[in-house]
Amino acid sequence: MAFPATRLRRLRASGVLRDMVRETELAPSDLVYPIFVELGTDRRTPIAAMPGIERLSIALAVKEAGAAHALGVPAVLVFGIPAEKDEQASGAYDPEGVVQLAVRAIKDEHPELVVICDVCLCAYTAHGHCGVVRADGVIDNDLTLELLAKTAISHAEAGADAVAPSDMMDGRVGALRSQLDSEGFAATPIVAYSAKFASAFYGPFREAADSAPAFGDRRTYQMDPANADEAVREAVLDMEEGADVVMVKPALPYLDVIRRVKERTDLPVAAYNVSGEYAMIKAAAAAGYLDERAAVLEALTGIRRAGADIVISYHAKDVAGWLN
Ligand code: PBG
């Protein structure tokens, strides 16, 4: 009698059938490419821990977005580094702010490319926290909601196709939804960073966005990495407040959370393969410890297999090139 395993091996041994029964596909059309935009002209600022990723001034960012689009990546996620930071994060909602200018320039040049704007205050506050800090050191949730809504409106006015609140304040999805609806942007979707963990893997991003908190940490608003039930509650809440897509972030240490959020919300799920995840593979590949292409494709396929419909990744442009 044959071992049952034989049946499995028969398919694996046949190249064509193996491809036909593959359960998970990874395609450029699943990807979102994050870009960091700074002011100035012809500026490229490398990010030490993220080889291949740079802060770009607007015209260069437009080119980079166009290059990703030409490879089949349908969307970019825009982060801005403002000229000045202050207590009220005024650069975040300045109609002439770096993100607003960049969005207009990208949409002018590449109208078909989907532009998603990260909505948060941390790159714009002098202290680097995601909200307005009161005199007693506590974040003022409700005042922050007003500024986040203002920021989202300014992005929509600049032409953003979707807004992605990443601040983790309470009630922000509902606040953004009602403001967008009342200001003529009822059709603008919200991609909510619903289960955003207080993660060590954001380190390189904070260098890139110059957004490391000057005091304390983000554990009063970002999630404890130990909690998955709570992640599901966060995602369900965001769904009830009107989120169109829910996100889990980071991706690789939280594949179980991606799966559970997918099953419990039935919404499209995005997963953010964050800066530290990118840095690990790049560093290991540079040292000759890993085959970069194989490792990246395996990691991103795993994120899709876990249940992510959309994968946000700094590898997006490379992956699209490899898959073409
Ligand atoms: C802003 C924000 C962060 C990231 C995306 N939006 C940083 C943070 O919360 O500190 C991290 C992305 C990455 O690490 O690639 N709140």
Side-chain angles (χ1 to χ4, degrees), residues 4-38:
T6 306
R7 177 170 294 149
L8 301 173
R9 288 204 198 99
R10 270 198 295 270
L11 288 175
R12 274 179 227 151
S14 153
V16 175
L17 277 173
R18 182 185 58 218
D19 289 353
M20 287 177 74
V21 300
R22 179 170 300 129
E23 297 169 40
T24 308
E25 293 291 342
L26 176 68
S29 59
D30 303 321
L31 305 174
V32 176
Y33 185 45
I35 46 177
F36 297 102
V37 189
E38 63 184 8

Side-chain angles (χ1 to χ4, degrees), residues 60 93 102 119 124 129 137 143 154 174 182 189 192 201 206-207 209 219 224 234 265 294 300:
L60 293 173
Y93 41 86
V119 177
Y124 305 89
H129 277 288
L143 177 54
S154 76
S182 69
F201 292 96
R206 292 181 187 167
E207 177 203 338
R219 283 184 296 177
D224 182 338
E234 286 277 11
T265 60
L300 268 53

Side-chain angles (χ1 to χ4, degrees), residues 33-253:
Y33 185 45
I35 46 177
F36 297 102
V37 189
E38 63 184 8
L39 293 163
T41 32
D42 262 331
R43 282 184 57 162
R44 301 175 170 275
T45 310
I47 301 155
M50 302 177 73
I53 302 292
E54 297 168 310
R55 287 158 52 159
L56 300 170
S57 53
I58 292 174
L60 293 173
V62 171
K63 266 201 193 150
E64 182 69 2
H69 193 216
L71 289 165
V73 175
V76 291
L77 175 61
V78 178
F79 294 96
I81 297 95
E84 312 258 319
K85 302 178 189 246
D86 58 31
E87 295 302 310
Q88 305 299 316
S90 41
Y93 41 86
D94 178 353
E96 301 299 314
V98 59
V99 165
Q100 292 78 358
L101 294 173
V103 170
R104 280 193 216 110
I106 295 171
K107 291 301 289 187
D108 269 356
E109 200 72 33
H110 308 289
E112 304 292 315
L113 174 62
V114 171
V115 174
I116 309 172
C117 288
D118 187 270
V119 177
C120 193
L121 304 186
C122 63
Y124 305 89
T125 50
H127 45 66
H129 277 288
C130 300
V132 179
V133 178
R134 297 192 317 221
D136 61 2
V138 174
I139 291 191
D140 187 327
N141 193 83
D142 294 3
L143 177 54
T144 302
L145 291 188
E146 279 174 39
L147 300 184
L148 291 168
K150 233 170 125 169
T151 303
I153 295 295
S154 76
H155 293 160
E157 282 171 344
D161 296 289
V163 289
S166 69
D167 52 281
M168 288 299 275
M169 298 298 125
D170 290 339
R172 81 244 202 255
V173 173
L176 261 58
R177 185 71 274 153
S178 64
Q179 197 76 10
L180 287 164
D181 290 351
S182 69
E183 301 212 22
F185 298 106
T188 302
I190 296 177
V191 178
Y193 286 73
S194 302
K196 178 171 177 180
F197 291 90
S199 173
F201 292 96
Y202 306 149
F205 173 96
R206 292 181 187 167
E207 177 203 338
D210 186 21
S211 66
F215 57 86
D217 55 44
R218 301 209 206 291
R219 283 184 296 177
T220 60
Y221 42 101
Q222 298 184 350
M223 287 188 50
D224 182 338
N227 296 351
D229 291 341
E230 187 191 352
V232 171
R233 286 204 296 276
E234 286 277 11
V236 169
L237 262 177
D238 283 358
M239 173 174 68
E240 289 166 356
E241 289 182 29
D244 300 281
V245 177
V246 287
M247 194 195 300
V248 175
K249 174 188 175 187
L252 294 172

